[in-house]
Amino acid sequence: MSQAAHPAPRSLAEALRARDDASLAALLRSRPDLVTPVPTDLTQLATRAGTRASVLRALERLDRFALQTAEALAVAPDPAPYDTLLGLMAGDARDETIAAALPHALGTLREQALVWGDDDRLRLVRTARELLAPSPQHPSPTGLGPTVQEATSGMSPGRIQEIVTAAGLPSTHDSVSAVAALTALFSDRKKMARLLADAPEPALEVLSRLVWGPPYGQVTPEPAAHLRWLLDRGLLLPTAPGTVVLPREVALHLRQGRAHRAPEPLPPAVEPAATHSPQVVDATAAGQAYTALATVEELLKDWDEGGPAVLRAGGLSVRDLKRTAVALDVSEPVAAFWVELAYAAGLIASDGEADERYAATPAYDEWLERPAAERWARLAETWLAATRTPGLVGGRDAKDRTLAALGPGLDRSAAPEVRHRVLTLLAGLPAGAAPGADAVLARLRWERPLRGPQQRGAEEDLRTRLARWTLSEAELLGITGRGALSTHGRALLGAPALGAGTSDTSRTTAGTAQTAAHGSSAATGATPGSPGATRAAAGAAESSRPGSSRPAESSRPESSGPGDKLPVHHHHRPAPVLAPLSLAEQAVATAAAARLLAPLLPEPLDHVLLQADLTAVAPGPLQRPLADVLDVLADVESKGGATVYRFTPASVRRALDAGHTAADLHAFLAQHSRTPVPQPLAYLIDDVARKHGHLRVGAASAYVRCDDDSLLNEILADKRAAALRLRRLAPTVLATQSDPAALLEGLRAMGYAPAAESAEGDVLIARAHAHRTPPRTAPEPVPDGPPPPDATLLSAAIRAIRAGDLAATTPRKPAGEPLSGGEPPRTSSAETLATVQAAVLTGASLWIGYVNAEGAASQRVIAPVKVEGGFVTAYDHTADEVRTYPLHRITGVAELAED
């Protein structure tokens, strides 16, 4: 389109007005805070896009090169032509890589409404310039100082003339022209070279120390000769007593025109540090997935009868976390991860009782009944979307309070995005390739750099720590194996499957080529029909950062609104990457991951191998009924690929207390053992069963009853029974002040096998009672700002914004006395009725003021269809639908100008 058809925009609102609908959708998608709530028109959208909070959020989501481009514009003249920006980024040598990547970076800034204007008048939005421009309080990452004009703003005219003369320039009649002459001198490469050729060597050394920043230095009241030489010629300018600054124009000359010391147009490559067979990776990941399930089950089994108490401030105490780590045989950070994962999955929660404790939820019992692969898929899906961050446990919050597992303050909104991005980078490598952690972290730092200088030795930023935790947690969960993304982990992301044993070289090469051209992420290919291919083809090519996307050039309709052409350089497109899935897409991906994992998990076994040393070996995972009985009958001695159980008198007595008889135990072992029941084990069961229940303990406070009075005599004579303070009530009954539980434990410690009995004399079966919380919902992730709008919301929002903008900008015919602020004129009821009736006959559109039933006033553009019964039925351009309005609520009406 010609410049005559589209004159240069004079404001951000006009620049937005020239965009088509697809470009506006890309803006609202990349900056979702702009659409909450929906702006009334494009002027309000532009105002919102320039607010400090919104601009800060947008700057934080830029990649390093786009941010460097914005920083260069902040130190460039306002407005700046594209050639000036190119010189600041590529330098006088015009680096070809930077020159090739700059259009895409500028297109990103334009798309996100951080930059507007044609190529000859590029403008950074005012708020962004204020945030990025250098100042003494907030130095710029470029290391540049103020311009000559800014540095000399408070200098006396006489001193400025002295500097002009010392620099070899003719004196001028005023300070403005003198400053302009100095600026021109410092910006001229040849003249500056001649000027600096006469500089003393120490002066050049001072300039070299200040050239890359910080540009400020200290001088004494009587500076040395080489400093005086610089001050006399304006190469250093005073800003405060004892403080001097290197003018921006001088620094740019010394830097060969570059605003940044090290521009980074291309993202660091994520190269494989090790390569394994895809089958080995999948097998390793599956083994770890099985271990993850076993660990969560063991955690919940340990808390089955009621877990640790809830701290008053919420969370798990340090002591209880240590106990849990010992029970799971893992370190405390790993224990915190499993506890937090079970909590995020809704498997554990506080019971809400007066003596509040953690316990399993009813959802845990349902989870246990699912196949192993589906149980893993639920844990993995929960982890991928959770904002709770177990890695923070043990750290300190802003108030210097310790962060406890399951406690408040562990939510970090960036966690899901970082996890998804890290796994996406792994998915971009060939099957079986494992990158180094440093390469992944370098790439993430390029994609989301921290603004401002970073001090050496400072603690790692949150995103870096999240990335490190993601790599370790993905390995614990079995999403990765040996550092490489597994096949089921790839499916969990919705990524296309790679051919087993085939190289991904062609895709990586294509991605690298696109990266070199556009400074974006390496592409991930998609097979036809896969979720990744469907999303890539359905509307928008995703941007080089997770969570943001850009509409594909080919998907734009030929006529989608005013301004069919986005400003210059719109054709530079990043390679598509995997975007976070919607809820429905994630459910499909999770089911696919479970299907891929299921064949890799070992099948539960229905047998064990009994050995003569009173142990049983489970060569794999056991079926649940077998495992439950064996957990009562024996103690776990060791774990691993095979689990070793040991039978002891205490464990056999525990089974008898749970209601099993000796005959039941013999039959159980004979049924489930692939080897004959060893004689020592049979003797152990019979021996414990023979003694079990001879002594009966009830509540008196407590008593001991036995038909064999000689056995009671033996107990009374035993010195170990002194603490129980037993006394004989009858030849076969002993009584004590201790409670029954203490009496049972005391007698068992003495080597007896007593049984508890009820008030009726029946033996009490000591089965463990599972403690469950009331139904609880899993904690909701804490979103990082407004969620990205979906296609339906974007379409409706753009339609409403366009209609509101039409109502606000359409020319009107003058009628009556208009009110201030551009409101419609007040008209009488008769004038309103006559104007509306005339519009029905002529088909004209009207501008009306309207007050609804709640008293809210608004402006609308309507095309009346009919008037009857005190109502006007009209097509409302603002709402884009036919509506009926009471005439008495129309405060005024005016005809629209024909153009």
Side-chain angles (χ1 to χ4, degrees):
M1 298 214 175
S2 64
Q3 290 295 325
H6 288 284
R10 296 170 298 176
S11 65
L12 177 59
E14 288 190 8
L16 295 178
R17 200 165 284 126
R19 293 191 178 196
D20 59 15
D21 290 352
S23 177
L24 285 180
L27 168 62
L28 299 180
R29 191 183 296 112
S30 61
R31 296 177 64 178
D33 56 299
L34 299 182
V35 78
T36 308
V38 176
T40 58
D41 54 33
L42 288 169
T43 301
Q44 188 178 91
L45 176 63
T47 302
R48 191 178 297 175
T51 59
R52 183 180 180 87
S54 183
V55 170
L56 274 173
R57 181 181 292 272
L59 291 176
E60 289 170 356
R61 293 179 175 273
L62 295 176
D63 61 54
R64 188 179 300 279
F65 190 61
L67 183 60
Q68 287 181 332
T69 303
E71 292 165 351
L73 277 173
V75 298
D78 187 27
Y82 181 80
D83 286 343
T84 298
L85 175 62
L86 178 60
L88 289 171
M89 296 301 298
D92 296 340
R94 290 296 194 267
D95 185 286
E96 293 183 1
T97 304
I98 296 176
L102 184 59
H104 172 251
L106 183 59
T108 299
L109 296 175
R110 273 180 164 145
E111 184 177 89
Q112 299 198 22
L114 295 172
V115 170
W116 58 277
D118 293 336
D119 273 4
D120 57 344
R121 295 180 63 83
L122 295 173
R123 291 183 182 271
L124 191 66
V125 295
R126 184 179 59 184
T127 307
R129 178 174 287 274
E130 293 172 354
L131 290 169
L132 299 177
S135 68
Q137 294 77 22
H138 303 286
S140 168
T142 61
L144 293 171
T147 63
V148 172
Q149 181 179 357
E150 293 167 347
T152 58
S153 59
M155 189 177 294
S156 67
R159 176 58 184 151
I160 294 176
Q161 293 296 337
E162 291 175 2
I163 293 175
V164 167
T165 303
L169 298 173
S171 58
T172 63
H173 59 279
D174 58 24
S175 298
V176 175
S177 56
V179 170
L182 273 179
T183 301
L185 170 65
F186 295 159
S187 302
D188 190 302
R189 297 287 186 264
K190 294 182 179 179
K191 292 181 179 178
M192 274 294 289
R194 289 195 296 269
L195 178 63
L196 293 176
D198 299 331
E201 190 64 30
L204 296 177
E205 185 180 345
V206 170
L207 294 179
S208 67
R209 290 201 300 265
L210 298 178
V211 62
W212 292 110
Y216 294 91
Q218 302 295 320
V219 295
T220 61
E222 296 296 331
H226 62 281
L227 293 176
R228 172 57 62 190
W229 191 91
L230 295 172
L231 288 168
D232 287 345
R233 289 155 182 78
L235 299 175
L236 291 180
L237 292 173
T239 58
T243 303
V244 294
V245 67
L246 182 68
R248 186 180 305 170
E249 293 84 355
V250 177
L252 287 174
H253 170 80
L254 297 172
R255 298 178 178 198
Q256 302 299 313
R258 286 185 292 153
H260 295 88
R261 189 169 196 167
E264 298 182 52
L266 301 180
V270 181
E271 299 291 348
T275 302
H276 310 283
S277 165
Q279 292 78 10
V280 171
V281 170
D282 289 348
T284 304
Q288 192 56 48
Y290 167 72
T291 302
L293 292 177
T295 304
V296 173
E297 290 180 32
E298 186 176 357
L299 167 68
L300 273 296
K301 190 180 297 181
D302 188 48
W303 291 9
D304 198 52
E305 297 179 50
V310 180
L311 293 175
R312 182 180 302 176
L316 203 62
S317 69
V318 175
R319 180 176 58 185
D320 288 328
L321 181 60
K322 288 181 179 178
R323 288 175 179 171
T324 302
V326 171
L328 299 180
D329 193 22
V330 296
S331 63
E332 290 177 38
V334 175
F337 168 70
W338 294 121
V339 169
E340 282 288 343
L341 180 62
Y343 173 67
L347 304 182
I348 58 174
S350 62
D351 57 13
E353 302 291 340
D355 183 19
E356 196 172 15
R357 310 185 76 81
Y358 288 107
T361 64
Y364 170 64
D365 298 311
E366 300 174 6
W367 179 76
L368 279 180
E369 298 302 321
R370 307 300 301 168
E374 293 183 19
R375 284 185 279 137
W376 174 87
R378 177 170 175 179
L379 294 179
E381 182 182 17
T382 297
W383 171 78
L384 196 60
T387 55
R388 291 190 64 83
T389 311
L392 296 173
V393 172
R396 297 278 177 175
D397 63 8
K399 297 182 179 179
D400 200 34
R401 295 175 299 195
T402 302
L403 294 170
L406 301 181
L410 292 182
D411 283 289
R412 296 295 183 271
S413 300
E417 179 197 340
V418 174
R419 292 191 191 114
H420 187 277
R421 186 55 187 149
V422 169
L423 297 182
T424 300
L425 290 175
L426 298 186
L429 296 174
D438 291 340
V440 173
L441 297 178
R443 177 60 168 266
L444 291 179
R445 281 192 290 267
W446 185 90
E447 292 180 348
R448 289 288 183 82
L450 291 177
R451 293 195 302 110
Q454 301 301 305
Q455 297 180 354
R456 290 186 178 181
E459 184 182 6
E460 288 183 334
D461 64 282
L462 177 62
R463 288 181 60 86
T464 299
R465 287 181 290 156
L466 286 173
R468 290 191 186 278
W469 295 331
T470 296
L471 293 172
S472 61
E473 291 168 3
E475 196 77 15
L476 285 174
L477 264 176
I479 296 175
T480 59
R482 300 195 178 187
L485 190 65
S486 63
T487 302
H488 50 273
R490 186 180 299 275
L492 185 69
L493 295 176
L498 299 178
T502 60
S503 173
D504 198 29
T505 306
S506 61
R507 187 186 64 174
T508 306
T509 304
T512 306
Q514 292 191 15
T515 296
H518 307 305
S520 61
S521 305
T524 48
T527 32
S530 68
T534 302
R535 294 198 316 278
E542 307 295 341
S543 75
S544 59
R545 298 183 321 280
S548 64
S549 57
R550 296 165 62 99
E553 187 79 21
S554 59
S555 67
R556 290 170 175 269
E558 292 185 2
S559 179
S560 54
D564 298 334
K565 188 177 180 183
L566 190 68
V568 191
H569 305 306
H570 191 70
H571 60 280
H572 288 270
R573 291 293 177 192
V577 298
L578 293 174
L581 305 177
S582 66
L583 292 178
E585 290 174 332
Q586 186 61 66
V588 173
T590 302
R595 287 194 300 271
L596 290 171
L597 176 64
L600 303 176
L601 294 176
E603 289 291 334
L605 303 176
D606 62 351
H607 65 274
V608 294
L609 305 175
L610 296 179
Q611 303 185 107
D613 59 349
L614 297 181
T615 60
V617 177
L622 299 177
Q623 293 179 351
R624 189 160 306 284
L626 172 59
D628 290 343
V629 175
L630 204 56
D631 283 340
V632 177
L633 180 57
D635 298 323
V636 176
E637 188 170 79
S638 65
K639 300 175 184 177
T643 304
V644 178
Y645 294 87
R646 178 164 294 280
F647 300 95
T648 65
S651 68
V652 174
R653 187 189 67 242
R654 186 170 66 230
L656 296 172
D657 287 342
H660 298 283
T661 65
D664 294 337
L665 298 181
H666 284 301
F668 170 79
L669 294 174
Q671 178 185 357
H672 293 289
S673 175
R674 287 289 178 87
T675 57
V677 179
Q679 193 177 53
L681 179 55
Y683 284 171
L684 174 65
I685 294 174
D686 292 339
D687 187 50
V688 174
R690 190 179 307 113
K691 298 178 182 179
H692 185 267
H694 281 197
L695 296 177
R696 300 293 184 89
V697 175
S701 291
Y703 64 83
V704 181
R705 180 173 65 83
C706 183
D707 294 337
D708 186 357
D709 58 350
S710 63
L711 184 57
L712 296 182
N713 291 334
E714 180 183 336
I715 293 173
L716 285 174
D718 196 322
K719 293 181 179 180
R720 292 175 295 175
L724 299 176
R725 292 182 296 175
L726 294 167
R727 58 189 177 86
R728 189 185 294 273
L729 295 182
T732 58
V733 179
L734 301 179
T736 179
Q737 296 295 320
S738 303
D739 61 87
L743 181 56
L744 280 169
E745 290 300 322
L747 292 174
R748 287 170 179 167
M750 294 168 63
Y752 299 99
E757 70 176 13
S758 66
E760 291 77 19
D762 300 324
V763 175
L764 292 175
I765 297 175
R767 287 196 181 97
H769 295 285
H771 180 61
R772 294 291 181 266
T773 70
R776 296 277 195 264
T777 57
E780 290 290 331
V782 178
D784 183 16
D790 56 23
T792 303
L793 176 57
L794 279 177
S795 177
I798 292 172
R799 192 165 57 247
I801 292 171
R802 292 283 192 202
D805 200 59
L806 176 64
T809 59
T810 303
R812 294 109 187 175
K813 291 182 179 179
E817 290 297 326
L819 299 178
S820 61
E823 296 182 7
R826 295 281 187 178
T827 55
S828 65
S829 299
E831 291 173 327
T832 299
L833 178 59
T835 306
V836 171
Q837 288 175 333
V840 171
L841 297 175
T842 61
S845 294
L846 301 176
W847 179 40
I848 67 169
Y850 180 74
V851 178
N852 63 15
E854 287 75 30
S858 61
Q859 305 174 29
R860 299 177 180 275
V861 175
I862 65 172
V865 178
K866 67 177 179 179
V867 181
E868 62 180 9
F871 291 88
V872 54
T873 301
Y875 176 75
D876 189 332
H877 290 277
T878 307
D880 198 18
E881 62 184 9
V882 176
R883 290 185 174 181
T884 300
Y885 298 100
L887 283 170
H888 68 276
R889 294 194 178 276
I890 298 178
T891 59
V893 62
E895 296 180 46
L896 297 180
E898 304 202 354
D899 250 337

